[in-house]
Amino acid sequence: MFNVEHIRQDFPILNRQVNGKPLVYFDNAATSQTPQQVIDVIVDYYSNYNANIHRGVHSLSQEATDAYEQARLKIQKHFNAKHAHEIIYTSGTTHGINLIANGFSTLLKKGDEIIVSALEHHSNIVPWQMLCERSGATLKVIPMNLEGELIMSEYDKLLSENTKLVFVNHISNALGTINPIKYIIDEAHKVGAAVLIDGAQSCPHIKPDVQALDVDFYVVSAHKMCGPTGEGMLYGKEEWLNKLPPYQGGGEMIAEVSFEKTTYADLPHKFEAGTPNICGGIAFGAAIDYMNGIGFDAIAAYEHELLEYATIKLSEIEGLKIYGTSKHKTSVISFNLDGIHPYDVGTILDKLGIAVRTGHHCAQPIMDFYKIPGTVRASFAFYNTKEEIDALVSGVKKAKMMLS
Ligand SMILES: *Cc1c(COP(=O)(O)O)cnc(C)c1O
């Protein structure tokens, strides 16, 4: 049984006050909070078996290696990858995307095309622009409509035998729209293009099955799903990972080194140069265990309830406009008050202990589309409550009174 009061006890930070008020944390799309179960794993690592992995014969090193590889298996199982070596540890979504963009530099030529979507995070736009500069390929963009949905008939028109890569986020961080990625993947495959899905916003809400999706690459950040910052994973199909060159040179990624020639290690180590965030990987595994313990069906159902409740309550405020009104969306509400800058609203909410994000949310093209400087974004997690939404609603009303 899903019991939010019980769940909240797992998150020590939710007990603190901000500016003399109980913290209401609605910036979950930027980073999620960390349950005690994950904090304990981090403390245990540094207290009891901190050591470098894969090299030492000593016991601590073996314990650390075992825990790190155990976590990789948890990640494999969670995302349903066929092989554990298809899971590459990264420092997060941005790292995973850059790894792929770098790898494709050697595979693309002038005339090739890369398709991205109008709903992308900056981390999913800039690496492709850099890749186009290096390779001579061209960037094409799937446009969006006013509801904040990608226009699939336009996507169909962009696809051709020149399309080599398609990059779309599973869920938009700025608007919460859930994109039709299965369709996008299947259509891309018909023209022989590879697909990378940015799962940074989907992993806190749903459990993606990379084999069922038949996706070529899928990237996530641990810190968006109750894990630590600076940690994430890249899933890649084995055949693709074998085709791509390594991203960074260094220790751990080689088989043999001489000054004449170096041969690379097998997957996944080929892409894991240097000492990784060992504790981060282990804690990522613990975060996955924690979230599965609650259950993604229960999480999705509860968050949907929060979304509906907040949408109704906020919509009652005169002059408040919500951006991103797709029927398929997660618990993110981006909004503005008529004639009031989002930053000012965010500042007043902070005085009331309410943490929201204001600005362009690393998605400036979306703001340009709506011709606004930014929005106030409230993003809910499974540990938030309707009482907290009531506090937000009364905070927004107060901000409106003070600023208009
Ligand atoms: C947060 C986020 C990123 C970037 O994640 P990092 O952990 O900062 O690398 C990329 N894409 C989306 C959709 C995001 O929400």
Side-chain angles (χ1 to χ4, degrees):
M1 262 305 281
F2 185 92
N3 179 335
V4 70
E5 284 314 318
H6 187 83
I7 286 169
R8 286 174 70 81
Q9 287 166 17
D10 293 337
F11 293 82
I13 207 168
L14 298 179
N15 292 322
R16 72 161 280 185
Q17 303 225 322
V18 170
N19 294 322
K21 300 278 189 329
L23 167 67
V24 172
Y25 187 76
F26 283 160
D27 196 16
N28 294 287
T31 199
S32 56
Q33 293 303 342
T34 318
Q36 192 64 49
Q37 288 83 340
V38 173
I39 298 170
D40 287 347
V41 166
I42 294 169
V43 172
D44 181 44
Y45 172 81
Y46 284 111
S47 309
N48 294 309
Y49 62 101
N50 176 32
N52 212 333
I53 51 169
H54 295 147
R55 310 164 206 216
V57 289
H58 61 82
S59 300
L60 286 195
S61 174
Q62 278 170 14
E63 279 177 36
T65 305
D66 286 349
Y68 193 60
E69 292 307 321
Q70 248 353 90
R72 194 192 304 271
L73 296 179
K74 286 179 190 174
I75 299 167
Q76 176 202 355
K77 185 158 172 262
H78 181 74
F79 291 97
N80 195 30
K82 194 164 167 196
H83 307 290
H85 59 252
E86 292 176 320
I87 302 297
I88 311 294
Y89 278 121
T90 64
S91 68
T93 303
T94 306
H95 177 191
I97 292 169
N98 279 281
L99 190 157
I100 300 301
N102 182 73
F104 268 90
S105 320
T106 57
L107 303 179
L108 296 184
K109 56 179 192 318
K110 203 167 172 354
D112 287 344
E113 291 174 359
I114 302 171
I115 297 178
V116 298
S117 93
L119 282 176
E120 295 313 310
H121 190 278
H122 292 167
S123 74
N124 215 0
I125 301 173
V126 184
W128 309 122
Q129 290 172 329
M130 290 161 65
L131 170 57
C132 285
E133 270 172 34
R134 286 195 300 269
S135 64
T138 330
L139 202 63
K140 304 270 171 179
V141 182
I142 312 170
M144 60 188 269
N145 62 21
L146 276 172
E147 281 73 43
E149 295 165 332
L150 296 177
I151 306 172
M152 282 300 102
S153 55
E154 295 296 324
Y155 172 60
D156 293 342
K157 286 184 215 158
L158 291 176
L159 285 167
S160 75
E161 71 269 23
N162 295 329
T163 312
K164 294 296 178 270
L165 282 166
V166 177
F167 301 98
V168 175
N169 57 36
H170 196 159
I171 294 176
S172 155
N173 71 305
L175 306 178
T177 314
I178 304 173
N179 291 315
I181 61 163
K182 183 62 185 151
Y183 179 83
I184 289 171
I185 293 164
D186 289 347
E187 293 307 300
H189 285 168
K190 284 183 192 163
V191 299
V195 182
L196 165 64
I197 298 294
D198 171 350
Q201 289 298 330
S202 49
C203 61
H205 308 291
I206 53 183
K207 191 170 170 168
D209 179 330
V210 292
Q211 286 189 80
L213 286 168
D214 194 27
V215 66
D216 302 289
F217 306 103
Y218 199 95
V219 287
V220 306
S221 297
H223 71 93
K224 301 243 169 117
M225 52 184 305
C226 297
T229 54
E231 178 60 35
M233 77 101 200
L234 154 71
Y235 160 79
K237 276 186 190 163
E238 182 179 35
E239 54 192 284
W240 272 114
L241 294 177
N242 281 330
K243 229 182 280 179
L244 293 178
Y247 182 40
Q248 291 182 314
E252 202 67 53
M253 54 76 72
I254 44 84
E256 275 180 77
V257 177
S258 72
F259 282 108
E260 288 69 44
K261 185 171 168 55
T262 291
T263 50
Y264 303 129
D266 289 337
L267 294 173
H269 307 296
K270 174 180 154 188
F271 292 106
E272 295 181 347
T275 301
N277 182 356
I278 302 164
C279 178
I282 297 168
F284 187 10
I288 284 177
D289 283 346
Y290 178 78
M291 293 197 72
N292 280 311
I294 295 171
F296 277 82
D297 288 343
I299 288 172
Y302 179 69
E303 288 175 342
H304 189 73
E305 232 178 86
L306 291 181
L307 174 70
E308 290 209 316
Y309 183 75
T311 304
I312 292 168
K313 291 281 170 183
L314 285 169
S315 301
E316 284 167 7
I317 301 173
E318 212 181 305
L320 185 143
K321 181 169 162 54
I322 293 176
Y323 298 91
T325 48
S326 172
K327 276 190 210 65
H328 306 285
K329 66 179 275 191
T330 45
S331 46
V332 171
I333 300 187
S334 245
F335 65 91
N336 273 332
L337 286 169
D338 197 16
I340 300 173
H341 200 281
Y343 179 83
D344 296 332
V345 179
T347 306
I348 289 177
L349 291 177
D350 180 59
K351 293 264 184 316
L352 301 169
I354 303 169
V356 292
R357 175 76 30 149
T358 64
H360 53 60
H361 317 299
C362 294
Q364 246 161 6
I366 300 179
M367 303 303 137
D368 293 346
F369 174 81
Y370 287 120
K371 300 188 172 59
I372 51 177
T375 66
V376 181
R377 182 187 70 186
S379 49
F380 314 122
F382 58 91
Y383 42 74
N384 288 130
T385 64
K386 288 186 182 166
E387 290 72 35
E388 289 180 310
I389 291 170
D390 291 340
L392 170 72
V393 171
S394 78
V396 172
K397 284 180 181 162
K398 189 165 179 187
K400 188 185 158 193
M401 231 161 52
M402 289 169 70
L403 296 166
S404 51

